[in-house]
Amino acid sequence: MAVLVLAEHDNSVLAAATRNTVTAAAQLATGPVHVLVAGQAASAVAAEAARLSGVEKILLADDAAYAYGLAEPLAALLISLAENYDAILAPATTFGKNVLPRAAALLDVAQISDVTAILSPDTFVRPIYAGNALATVQSTDKRKVITVRTTAFAPAADGGAAIIESLSAAIPVPRSQFVGREVTRSERPDLTAARVVVSGGRGLGSKENFLLMEKLADTLGAAIGASRAAVDAGYAPNDAQVGQTGKIVAPDLYIAVGISGAIQHLAGMKDSKVIVAINKDEEAPIFQLADYSLVGDLFVELPKLCALLSGAQG
């Protein structure tokens, strides 16, 4: 069973999510695992992908049409390569969720989304009902199109020496064009790849109070997340949202401050290795999941916690 992984990248650096997807591909494959790097001036990405353990070949499609990761040209490229593969995988990130459904439709197959386990070449496990249940699904399609929940698979290590092959696939006349991109710059770790995440909820009460999270994040070298309620209230930007309709994270340490623990939020962080919750409501659902619980006023307890951590590090 030959597997093709669609790499996520920014034309300079391979996204961490691709490493997890390669691990899933290695579990699925009984034949070679290839990685498709489509971008513009992305040779450095191809070289990085070539070092991934378990990858036999890198397919490099270098053209301006692929520079911004638009779904239409990438899906067309995947279709042109599909006959050589039994499965096409991509991370279940905004990138993968944008491209693979279009490819699946063009191939006339049912996409298998957000896979968390591979039981056999045609049988997979995926979460449903906001992660409260796991469905085992079997696909009879000749070609599998799969998005992978990256937090469920370990990242592929370096150590490989894959060959890099340049592609010159025909590019269809574009029906969409890139207009612009607004990127939030931060010196903190990426939310989906951070080892420590501190998240704030509606309990913080205001955008100004949400700034309290920054001191805790700076002390721990953590990424900052937020519940949907906090994002909807304008306390935090949309790209900080953790949950079913936000980002899925599984850090070594997750600290939830002023988050009650709605089912939609828990779906996005419940796989964290250690969960700490601070909330004044002792009946908050978050405490049922937390490894360590602190019942109290966050405006009192959070400064204490920051002071203790600062002293421990000093």
Side-chain angles (χ1 to χ4, degrees), residues 36-287:
L36 172 61
V37 175
Q40 185 177 28
S43 57
V45 177
E48 184 179 355
R51 295 193 294 270
L52 296 179
S53 180
V55 175
E56 182 178 300
K57 182 187 290 185
I58 306 299
L59 303 178
L60 175 59
D62 204 314
D63 193 278
Y66 308 127
Y68 302 106
L70 297 180
E72 288 82 356
L74 287 178
L77 179 60
L78 286 172
I79 298 309
S80 71
L81 300 170
E83 65 179 11
N84 300 319
Y85 300 96
D86 302 293
I88 298 172
L89 274 62
T93 58
T94 52
F95 169 77
K97 291 176 182 178
N98 186 38
V99 178
L100 251 60
R102 186 178 185 87
L106 292 171
L107 289 169
D108 194 25
V109 301
Q111 178 177 299
I112 307 166
S113 303
D114 220 17
V115 163
T116 58
I118 297 168
L119 303 183
S120 73
D122 65 355
T123 307
F124 311 89
V125 176
R126 62 180 301 270
I128 57 174
Y129 303 130
N132 281 302
L134 295 174
T136 299
V137 296
Q138 186 173 38
S139 171
T140 58
D141 288 325
K142 178 181 178 181
R143 191 161 287 107
K144 314 295 188 288
V145 177
I146 301 167
T147 58
V148 174
R149 177 170 289 200
T150 56
T151 57
F153 297 89
D158 288 339
I163 62 173
I164 299 176
E165 177 182 314
S166 295
L167 298 179
S168 57
I171 301 170
V173 177
R175 303 183 67 178
S176 63
Q177 69 180 88
F178 179 80
V179 175
R181 174 182 292 153
E182 294 183 10
V183 180
T184 302
R185 301 292 182 185
S186 175
E187 295 182 358
R188 294 193 176 88
D190 177 71
L191 183 58
T192 56
R195 293 182 60 252
V196 180
V197 174
V198 297
S199 283
R202 185 164 43 193
L204 283 157
S206 70
K207 185 174 183 178
E208 291 70 29
N209 289 337
F210 201 89
L211 296 177
L212 292 171
M213 302 297 297
E214 294 189 1
K215 184 174 182 181
L216 179 59
D218 290 341
T219 302
L220 295 173
I224 293 181
S227 67
R228 178 172 179 174
V231 170
D232 288 347
Y235 302 168
N238 289 336
D239 60 2
Q241 183 178 324
V242 173
Q244 184 181 13
T245 54
K247 295 180 178 178
I248 307 297
V249 301
D252 293 338
L253 173 62
Y254 188 89
I255 301 178
V257 180
I259 295 176
S260 63
I263 187 173
Q264 293 86 353
H265 184 77
L266 300 184
M269 45 67 70
K270 67 179 184 178
D271 291 328
S272 303
K273 293 180 176 61
V274 176
I275 299 172
V276 177
I278 303 173
N279 200 296
K280 66 180 180 181
D281 179 9
E282 62 183 16
E283 300 297 327
I286 189 73
F287 288 137

